[in-house]
Amino acid sequence: MRRGYKWVDRELAGLDPETDWERMISLYVGYKVPEFALATMLYPGTMRMMQPGPTAATLAHTAKLTTRPERRYQDANRLLMAWMVDGLSSAAGRAAADRLNRIHLAVARATPHLPGNFDDTDDFVYPLVLLATYGDRLQTSLGLPGTAEPMKTAWHRWAQTLFRLLERESGPLADAYFPEDWDAMTEFAAKFDARPYEPTEAGHAVATAMTDYFAERWFPAPLRAFGRDLTRYLAGDRVCRLHRMGRLGPGRERVVRLFLKAAFRALRLLPDYRTPLPERVRRTARVRSAGLNYR
């Protein structure tokens, strides 16, 4: 293990997605995904998740995305690393699900003026579908090869299993509906995105804060406008119009697409990581914390 240039692909090729899906997700995310790719999923993904007005209102009420964005980013990373790399059957994975359930229940109790924000099953299905299908949707939108069939099966099993561990305000989701396969997940996402949503001040405020934070965290000052363009492109034109984030002109969109295509091609050429993603994320956090403390 961890020998050779593209050692992860060899490991994945010998696994059965019906029975080894947890190991497949752990290997893929742990040793093929850069931290930057994780960030590009979190922020635009959250902008998509808060298309429903009640979700945007809840995120604005908690204010974590606007007042403590670094803490919010690290907390989200810890959950994802526990679920994706440690695995859903691990003690860390199940503890992370329990922690999120407690957070949701606490927020629901603290926001009686926002009823039902944690009781709509679709609001649990959609984020997991986004996480599972994000890479495939992005790559195919760029005209690049998408996710291989075995990994599609593994991602569906992962999302479905995590869904069963979560709880809405009125109780567990263990017996609730979740799309039965990859195609059903993509169909669900398309229908969710196509619903008629109304713009809100909360959605605009949170989306603006996330876009600015992403650009400031990952890009030097001269390139922050590009960082904002990247976030807008990944969120999609419909979502940006909903949150009043502005539109990308054809020229700026072309630059973003060229950047993303180059990034994916570089990943295909570069060797797989030897250090797991959770350790790389922790290392970045330590360096960033030291820099912030120094300043």
Side-chain angles (χ1 to χ4, degrees), residues 230-278:
L230 176 59
T231 312
R232 291 188 185 99
Y233 177 84
L234 294 171
D237 182 65
R238 191 173 188 273
V239 171
C240 286
R241 280 189 281 112
L242 175 69
H243 297 315
R244 305 197 313 279
M245 298 302 298
R247 299 187 63 181
L248 286 181
R252 290 158 65 189
E253 181 176 329
R254 189 157 49 246
V255 171
V256 172
R257 288 176 62 87
L258 287 172
F259 169 81
L260 289 170
K261 285 183 178 181
F264 277 115
R265 286 167 180 155
L267 284 176
R268 288 193 172 92
L269 293 174
L270 292 170
D272 295 330
Y273 290 100
R274 265 48 173 197
T275 305
L277 180 57

Side-chain angles (χ1 to χ4, degrees), residues 46-56 126 189 192-195 197-200 238-239 242-243:
T46 302
M47 289 169 66
R48 286 177 175 271
M49 292 172 200
M50 64 180 193
Q51 291 178 86
T55 304
Y126 184 70
F192 189 97
D193 288 335
R195 293 175 185 175
Y197 299 107
E198 294 293 329
T200 64
R238 191 173 188 273
V239 171
L242 175 69
H243 297 315

Side-chain angles (χ1 to χ4, degrees), residues 113-134:
H113 57 294
L114 299 173
N117 284 16
F118 296 99
D119 217 40
D120 188 334
T121 303
D122 287 357
D123 289 341
F124 289 85
V125 175
Y126 184 70
L128 297 180
V129 166
L130 278 188
L131 288 171
T133 62
Y134 170 78

